[in-house]
């Protein structure tokens, strides 16, 4: 047999080409949807940032190219940077809660000493499937200082002057975090799946070495769960930077109390749909995209120091 016969044939076989065509055919709805509904709007908004398009102005000012004027306006816009600061400050409080609480609940649900684990899983997940706006309106009633269940419960245990959750600068962020905790069912399920994927042999080996529950958590559970934790952190950062629907429904997008809920995404929403300033709204949206990208890039760069994958050495 010659060396040429042993060399792999170049190009794809007829079967491989046919399979590739069928693969692209099945992928085509997603590809078309991505091109028309994601990539095209992104390119359009980038083009908007270099124009003066404003639907509220009508035909009073002709559409024209303005160069970097919108970016210069962004640099001088104190409200944009204040809204970004509000978003980041809220994220410093909300992100640890959104990562730690589902993880702790998953640990409890994964415990062999807890009875009725299936029922608890269903109860934790049920709020997640409730329509989002409906759940926020439910919480609006529960946080009502006059007749809300939470303040009524606090009065019942002897707290005569419970907080006005939605109108207090001090208590508004804890109130928003409470609303967020109510819908952590998906996070609990993700963490629970990660815990159940950890091989039991690791725990057996740790116990043989004399490791107690705390040592097992530190040296086995946390390293093996680090990819899941990394996943929840990334999603949590993206969700917090896009956070606006809860304050929009709870407080009608006013930014009250004292401007503490005027998040960056709410400012973008008002610029686009209230003031109809498409050019500057697109500029703010790209600012949010760049901030989100920068934070996630830093997070991915740090992952090699603390995220452990079982297939790696």
């Amino acid at each position: 047999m010659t060396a040429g016969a042993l060399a792999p044939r170049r190009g794809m076989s007829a079967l491989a080409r046919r399979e590739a065509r069928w693969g692209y055919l099945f992928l085509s709805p997603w590809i078309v949807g991505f091109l028309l509904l994601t990539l095209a709007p992104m390119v359009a908004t980038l083009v908007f940032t270099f124009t003066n398009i404003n639907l509220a102005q009508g035909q009073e000012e002709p559409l024209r190219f303005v160069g970097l004027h919108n970016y210069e306006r962004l640099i001088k816009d104190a409200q944009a940077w204040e809204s970004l600061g509000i978003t980041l400050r809220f994220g410093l409080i909300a992100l640890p809660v959104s990562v730690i609480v589902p993880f702790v609940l998953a640990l409890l649900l994964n415990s062999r000493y807890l009875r009725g684990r299936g029922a608890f899983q269903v109860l934790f997940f049920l709020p997640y499937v409730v329509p989002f706006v409906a759940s926020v309106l439910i919480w609006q009633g529960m946080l009502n200082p006059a007749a809300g269940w939470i303040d009524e419960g606090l009065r019942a245990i002897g707290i005569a002057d419970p907080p006005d959750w939605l109108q207090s600068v001090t208590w508004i962020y804890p109130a928003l975090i409470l609303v967020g905790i109510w819908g952590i069912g998906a996070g609990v399920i993700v963490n629970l799946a990660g815990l159940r994927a950890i091989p039991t042999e690791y725990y057996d080996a740790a116990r043989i070495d004399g490791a107690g529950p705390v040592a097992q958590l530190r040296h086995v559970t946390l390293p093996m769960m680090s990819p899941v934790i990394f996943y929840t952190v990334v999603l949590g950062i993206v969700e917090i930077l896009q956070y606006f629907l809860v304050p929009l429904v709870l407080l009608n997008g006013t930014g009250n109390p004292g401007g503490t809920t005027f998040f960056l995404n709410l400012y973008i929403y008002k610029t686009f749909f209230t003031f109809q300033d498409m050019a500057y709204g697109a500029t703010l949206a790209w600012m949010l995209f760049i901030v989100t990208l920068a934070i996630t890039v830093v997070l991915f760069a740090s992952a090699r120091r603390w995220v452990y994958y079982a297939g790696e050495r």
Side-chain angles (χ1 to χ4, degrees):
M1 185 177 292
T2 62
L6 294 174
R9 290 187 298 176
R10 296 182 179 180
M12 299 173 62
S13 65
L15 178 61
R17 286 195 296 271
R18 184 165 62 251
E19 290 179 346
R21 286 196 296 268
W22 278 106
Y24 286 122
L25 178 64
F26 285 114
L27 284 174
S28 60
W30 180 88
I31 295 173
V32 173
F34 172 78
L35 293 175
L36 295 180
L37 303 178
T38 302
L39 184 61
M42 286 183 64
V43 174
T45 55
L46 182 60
V47 173
F48 286 174
T49 63
F50 300 105
T51 67
N52 67 334
I53 182 170
N54 189 325
L55 301 182
Q57 294 178 356
Q59 299 297 325
E60 296 178 5
E61 185 177 352
L63 178 64
R64 58 187 177 86
F65 176 78
V66 297
L68 298 177
H69 171 74
N70 289 310
Y71 293 95
E72 295 173 358
R73 178 182 170 185
L74 172 62
I75 294 173
K76 299 176 182 177
D77 187 359
Q79 182 61 67
W81 299 106
E82 182 180 353
S83 297
L84 178 60
I86 290 170
T87 305
L88 295 177
R89 286 195 298 271
F90 176 71
L92 291 176
I93 303 172
L95 183 62
V97 174
S98 66
V99 173
I100 294 173
V101 172
F103 178 71
V104 172
L105 291 175
L107 285 175
L108 294 175
L109 291 174
N110 196 50
S111 174
R112 55 186 172 182
Y113 302 106
L114 180 66
R115 296 182 178 180
R117 289 181 291 178
F120 280 110
Q121 291 177 34
V122 173
L123 290 175
F124 280 123
F125 190 73
L126 275 178
Y128 182 77
V129 299
V130 176
F132 192 77
V133 174
S135 65
V136 174
L137 292 175
I138 291 171
W139 273 98
Q140 188 179 50
M142 293 177 63
L143 295 170
N144 187 291
W149 292 359
I150 294 180
D151 281 2
E152 288 292 334
L154 293 175
R155 293 188 188 97
I157 62 175
I159 300 177
D161 188 20
D164 186 353
W165 298 92
L166 300 182
Q167 298 301 326
S168 170
V169 175
T170 304
W171 291 101
I172 183 61
Y173 286 171
L176 295 177
I177 291 172
L178 276 176
V179 177
I181 289 176
W182 194 61
I184 61 172
V188 173
I189 298 300
V190 169
N191 280 277
L192 190 57
L195 288 172
R196 292 181 176 174
I198 300 176
T200 57
E201 292 83 359
Y202 293 166
Y203 292 105
D204 295 337
R207 281 191 290 268
I208 292 173
D209 289 339
V214 175
Q216 292 177 37
L217 175 66
R218 178 182 176 185
H219 297 291
V220 178
T221 305
L222 288 177
M224 296 300 295
M225 284 292 293
S226 58
V228 177
I229 295 172
F230 176 71
Y231 168 80
T232 56
V233 169
V234 171
L235 288 188
I237 289 174
V238 173
E239 289 177 358
I240 287 173
L241 289 173
Q242 295 181 347
Y243 188 76
F244 92 106
L245 187 56
V246 174
L248 178 68
V249 177
L250 279 180
L251 303 160
N252 298 319
T254 59
N256 291 328
T260 54
T261 62
F262 202 67
F263 298 98
L264 180 58
N265 221 36
L266 185 59
Y267 185 38
I268 295 173
Y269 171 81
K270 285 185 170 290
T271 303
F272 264 116
F273 299 105
T274 302
F275 306 114
Q276 297 185 339
D277 190 346
M278 300 298 171
Y280 189 57
T283 308
L284 290 170
W286 274 92
M287 169 194 177
L288 177 60
F289 172 76
I290 293 172
V291 170
T292 306
L293 180 63
I295 294 176
T296 51
V297 166
V298 171
L299 188 60
F300 271 89
S302 70
R304 67 187 66 180
R305 299 179 179 273
W306 62 276
V307 179
Y308 169 77
Y309 295 99
E312 294 181 349
R313 300 182 67 180

